[in-house]
Amino acid sequence: MTNQGLDAFAAWVEDLMRERGYDIDSPRGGGKSRIADEAGVHRAAVTRLLQRQSMPDLETTRRLARVLGVPVRDMLIRSGRLTAEELADPHDHLATPAPSAEFGRRPTLEEVADLLGVPADRREMFVRVVEQFLPSEAEAIQGPSTTQGARVAHMTPMHEDRRALLETAAGVPVSID
């Protein structure tokens, strides 16, 4: 990455931080520490980015994207790690049904993975992870039990890990409610 690319990316991230109320300009504002804490990253990684010393690693980029409320895709493209062509927007594929999908039938998980632009080498993992969240046939007919409803009411660390796996497999932010 060129210095110009790092400068442009850092300036964009700075603007996002300011827009979201992080005081990154005053020496004792605490904004850098606050965003680092909220993202679960080292303050030094945030400082190095804002001082245009280095680009954050992939995990730090993903965590900052989550805290700043922007898609990881946008962060990867803006950082210069990937181009828009290399990282197709999955929403572009959702506007039209898959050519093989029959009207009125629920698409298979493989078709969903294709629509979302999940890379071929990650589709098997995507399918395995998503299957864990789908109701069994009995639940689909009867509805979820009250204990399951209580479980879904709050996100456990296990659910957070699954959400992260889904995001990694699909390449898009995923909400598990």
Side-chain angles (χ1 to χ4, degrees):
M1 159 146 290
T2 65
N3 282 344
Q4 185 179 13
L6 178 57
D7 285 344
F9 178 68
W12 178 68
V13 172
E14 284 176 344
D15 289 343
L16 289 172
M17 289 177 180
R18 287 184 190 105
E19 288 171 10
R20 282 139 179 88
Y22 294 98
D23 183 2
I24 59 170
D25 298 309
S26 62
R28 303 222 188 279
K32 293 173 195 168
S33 294
R34 192 174 120 224
I35 194 162
D37 289 344
E38 289 176 12
V41 301
H42 291 284
R43 184 181 186 280
V46 174
T47 300
R48 284 192 303 270
L49 170 62
L50 298 179
Q51 291 179 349
R52 278 73 169 166
Q53 293 175 351
S54 67
M55 189 64 67
D57 63 36
L58 192 55
E59 181 61 20
T60 300
T61 300
R62 187 182 72 78
R63 289 173 180 230
L64 287 173
R66 181 181 47 83
V67 170
L68 292 171
V70 297
V72 174
R73 177 185 190 277
D74 291 356
M75 293 283 278
L76 293 172
I77 292 169
R78 292 250 190 180
S79 70
R81 289 179 190 258
L82 295 170
T83 65
E85 293 76 30
E86 292 171 322
L87 193 58
D89 186 349
H91 298 102
D92 291 344
H93 301 288
L94 296 176
T96 57
S100 63
E102 299 168 14
F103 182 75
R105 131 179 122 71
R106 185 177 186 171
T108 66
L109 291 177
E110 290 79 9
E111 290 170 335
V112 171
D114 185 51
L115 288 170
L116 291 172
V118 176
D121 63 327
R122 293 189 173 181
R123 287 196 181 165
E124 184 180 335
M125 177 178 60
F126 175 84
V127 169
R128 283 195 322 253
V129 171
V130 172
E131 282 176 337
Q132 296 176 38
F133 295 99
L134 295 177
S136 68
E137 287 186 36
E139 288 175 341
I141 294 168
Q142 300 170 355
S145 70
T146 55
T147 57
Q148 287 173 328
R151 264 197 330 236
V152 174
H154 72 288
M155 182 83 76
T156 66
M158 180 179 70
H159 288 101
E160 188 65 28
D161 289 345
R162 287 181 179 166
R163 183 193 55 75
L165 278 173
L166 276 171
E167 284 182 351
T168 301
V172 295
V174 174
S175 174
I176 300 174
D177 295 322

